[in-house]
Amino acid sequence: MAEAETSTEYETHTYDVVVVGAGGAGLRAAIAAHDAGARTAIVCKSLLGKAHTVMAEGGIAAAMGNVWSDDGWPVHFRDTMRGGKMLNHWRMAQLHAQEAPDRVLELETWGALFDRTDDGLISQRDFGGHRFARLAHVGDRTGLEMIRTLQQRAVALGIDVFMECTVTELFKDVADDGTPRISGAFGYWRETGKFLVFEAPSIVLATGGIGKSFEVTSNSWEYTGDGHAMALRAGASLVNMEFVQFHPTGMVWPPSVRGILVTESVRGDGGVLRNSEGKRFMFDYIPEYFKSETADSEEEGDRWYTDKANNRRPPELLPRDEVARAINSEIKAGRGSPHGGIFLDIASRRDAEYIKRRLPSMYHQFKELADVDITAEPMEIGPTCHYVMGGVEVEPDSGASIVDGLFAAGEVAGGMHGANRLGGNSLSDLLVFGRRAGESAAEYATKAEQGRPHVQPELITSAEQDALAPFRIEGGGENAYTLQKHLQEQMQKLVGIIRTDEELAEAQQMLRELEDRATRLKVSGGRVYNPGWHLALDLNNMLLVSECIALAARERTESRGGHTREDFAATDESWGDVNLILTLGDDGHAVLKRQPLPQMPEDLRDLFD
Amino acid sequence: MGYDLSMRLWRGDAEGGGLEDFTVEVSEGEVVLDAIHRVQATQAGDLAVRWNCKAGKCGSCSAEINGRPRLLCMTRLNDFEETDTITVTPLRAFPVIRDLVTDVSYNYEKAREVPAFAPTPPDADGKRRMMQVDVERGQEFRKCIECFLCQDTCHVIRDHEENKPAFAGPRFFLRYAELDMHPLDTNDRRKLAQDAAGIGMCNITKCCTEVCPEGIKITDNAIIPMKERVVDRSFDPLVWLGSKIRRRDPSDERTEVV
Ligand SMILES: Cc1cc2nc3c(=O)[nH]c(=O)nc-3n(C[C@H](O)[C@H](O)[C@H](O)COP(=O)(O)OP(=O)(O)OC[C@H]3O[C@@H](n4cnc5c(N)ncnc54)[C@H](O)[C@@H]3O)c2cc1C
Ligand code: SF4
Ligand code: SF4
Ligand code: FES
């Protein structure tokens, strides 16, 4: 092994707040921490501006009332809780609904150019599960607008950015009063393979999701659950991990694009789902819970787009878990499309001009990648792993985890979305809780000023050893790409949309085996920009997070939101006030406990009568 | 259906390197990035390449395919004959880090030099009003995914490292123009565009527009109007936008930034 491969040199950087992640949540957190006076750094695995947030299409949910003046935070709050099957942390859902409008307006102050209403206000569009048209948007590239705006703001404020830099471990020390607390983090530059150490009292995790552990996914290579895993290893807890969202509409053909997202805006703007017999099958799948607010005829559904007061929403716009399950059933019943999907048709319902203006990137995506003209023919779509509701358990107002100095916001945080997230509620979540976490992290850091934490050298040595392990394997060794592929196939098959006890048990067994094989991961080449090495390190996180999902999914013997059990097909009210909390045991494996769901106060409860 | 594709991939680092031959099995509907990923997974685990979205949305996977700046994830294999050899090299205008990955920090430095957006105060209800027609041109420019293919292709810097300090490049002319056309911005960036960003060095060859995967008319809609604005202070944005909406004339009220 060449000397360069084993070098344990590292650079040290000192900050008040280190934000891990440069998506919407991380950027917003960093801006808030900076504005609160903290010396702040942002660290991210890709180049700045390339995080998942850039891919978001449909919009940002915020009850601004620009299109329907009856909208307001209580309605948004109610929609969010019902969409989440009442398992959301009520306080997060409340803060989210209350603060989202201000956060969107703030983006405009920083240069965002949203689509407008005829009065010149920010336009808002329909999405599944939302009572009113509520999503602020820019065509179908809203995430790009959001990340660019935040990125430009962060750059204008002069916040330090460490890009193409991966954090692998969090450090802790012990405060004078004996409590363990965050002291910093360890990482490597992807471009050089060199190590760095951050000394910081506050760390904000904004690392996004876990979707790369599944075979069919809308998520990129970045989504390996690093933040989830690092939080666990640092002593924090995860909540709601059994809830993984399969978005109903991902591309299915050609195989190369399988899983790539088709935005819900297609349905929000009038698109409908049909099976191979041409039938709008969603009318057969309206659950009791949503009957009173869902149209029961095509005519009523169609009228709703223009007259919301006197009609109910079409069933294509039920929350995502309902639609994904319905599609799954139709395909299973043999009424699928030629390539194993279902048809999503907007061509027969809206004119070509409208489609191109409202959905330009969908038009482009299908044209370029599938040779399909969506203004002339239906799309073939099927469910794709999209979002994890589960994440770090945080204190709603501050984003603080149970570990002093560790905060989380965005997709990596749990609680906000309960059992199922409504479309558009992620981008708003990033802004609302990114800001709150950034502010709290800054405040905590100034309090820690008297006794700033200290990174012990032996922790650094141990983190270095872990990072270099794949270079030190003698003999054969395992290939990271092969292992990852195996993990994805098995997770898809055993812990996918529909689950059973037997399969979940099999998944747990499979994960133990993969974990064992992962100790022998071996990489070729050097440390300079070596994706094989990067993947080998990320894989450990994927395995730990997958273990959490399987464990919690096996425990919850009911179906609710993003968790569907074939052997427990009904929603069971006795599970309605139970959260499953995961922590890391001494043996390095996840430990599960049940915890009562926080109960909302009377005045909010009244909204549901 | 499936066939064996011959590829030549540039491999190496800052010290040097060269083209390496690979044969990889590919199938219907795949893009160049799929083929590269298969090489990575089965033959060269350390092959360096950037990507994220795999759908033309993030601008990470820029490289040169048979000498042409393109997105790897949006270049379909059926654009080529099955017998063609596809050659992939890193962006030529930027220093190579490893294999297909280049050091694009030049672009991030140029981004830092653009003075920030400085809006007028909101209306009394805390909201801002802008008409769709007035934001449309800016929206066209904000479609930019920062793939930097236009920067790579622009001859002013492609083979002229010495021009880089004085030249922001088409992606950032787009940004200057976008802010300049923003209905609520209060800064006048014309002098800066001319002096520091070097818009004068552009001789409107339109090569940047040709490679833009977002189809942004960089030259016609951003650079040329910006150049005109720079020389002609009495320029009228009403005419420019072809809009009937009444608006204040920014050139009267804007503060010049230098
Ligand atoms: C195709 C698509 C469309 C979507 N459309 C919508 C929509 O219309 N509306 C909506 O509300 N939501 C939408 N979503 C969901 C939403 O985009 C995401 O949930 C959200 O962007 C996540 O943001 P984030 O800030 O939490 O994380 P991200 O934007 O994913 O950012 C994560 C950041 O963390 C960094 N990171 C991760 N691990 C590490 C590490 N170990 N070290 C250093 N850095 C690390 C990454 O590099 C990245 O910068 C969509 C998602 C997808 C995939
Ligand atoms: S038009 Fe100008 S900016 Fe664009 S490639 Fe030509 S010289 Fe460069
Ligand atoms: S203007 Fe076009 S080519 Fe240039 S960086 Fe933006 S998207 Fe890429
Ligand atoms: S991977 Fe995002 S543009 Fe190609």
Side-chain angles (χ1 to χ4, degrees), chain A residues 497-574:
Chain A
I497 303 195
I498 313 284
R499 304 161 173 177
T500 65
D501 186 71
E502 206 182 324
E503 286 180 345
L504 291 167
E506 196 185 327
Q508 288 176 316
Q509 179 63 33
M510 173 273 301
L511 288 166
R512 291 284 166 132
E513 283 163 22
L514 281 186
E515 205 174 288
D516 180 52
R517 287 173 62 186
T519 58
R520 295 188 302 275
L521 282 171
K522 179 177 173 156
V523 300
S524 60
R527 273 166 66 178
V528 175
Y529 219 110
N530 184 343
W533 179 39
H534 306 161
L535 178 59
L537 298 182
D538 292 348
L539 253 176
N540 295 311
N541 298 331
M542 299 175 86
L543 288 168
L544 179 55
V545 173
S546 299
E547 180 186 329
C548 290
I549 298 172
L551 184 58
R554 204 172 167 203
E555 178 82 359
R556 186 174 283 275
T557 47
E558 67 154 352
S559 296
R560 183 185 293 268
H563 170 64
T564 306
R565 288 281 299 257
E566 197 170 86
D567 43 357
F568 296 92
T571 302
D572 175 351
E573 270 329 298
S574 68

Side-chain angles (χ1 to χ4, degrees), chain A residues 48 50 57 66 109 113 115-116 120 141 145 149 164 220-221 256 365 368 481 528-529 531-532, chain B residues 34 45-47 50-52 54 57-58 76 98 108 117 127-128 130 132 139 142 145-146 175:
Chain A
L48 186 59
K50 312 295 183 199
E57 295 162 0
N66 289 353
T109 303
L113 287 176
D115 286 349
R116 320 304 299 178
R141 56 159 191 89
E145 189 67 14
T149 304
E164 299 208 302
S220 83
W221 70 269
S256 145
Q365 183 173 311
E368 299 285 319
Y481 298 97
V528 175
Y529 219 110
Chain B
D34 291 315
D46 60 339
L47 173 66
R50 282 195 181 104
W51 70 283
N52 280 287
K54 215 170 164 292
K57 291 181 171 45
C58 72
R76 302 258 317 248
R98 201 159 158 267
Y108 288 91
F117 174 60
K127 296 185 177 179
R128 291 192 155 79
M130 294 182 263
Q132 183 64 39
Q139 286 184 330
R142 288 181 73 85
I145 56 174
E146 301 208 321
R175 174 81 174 131

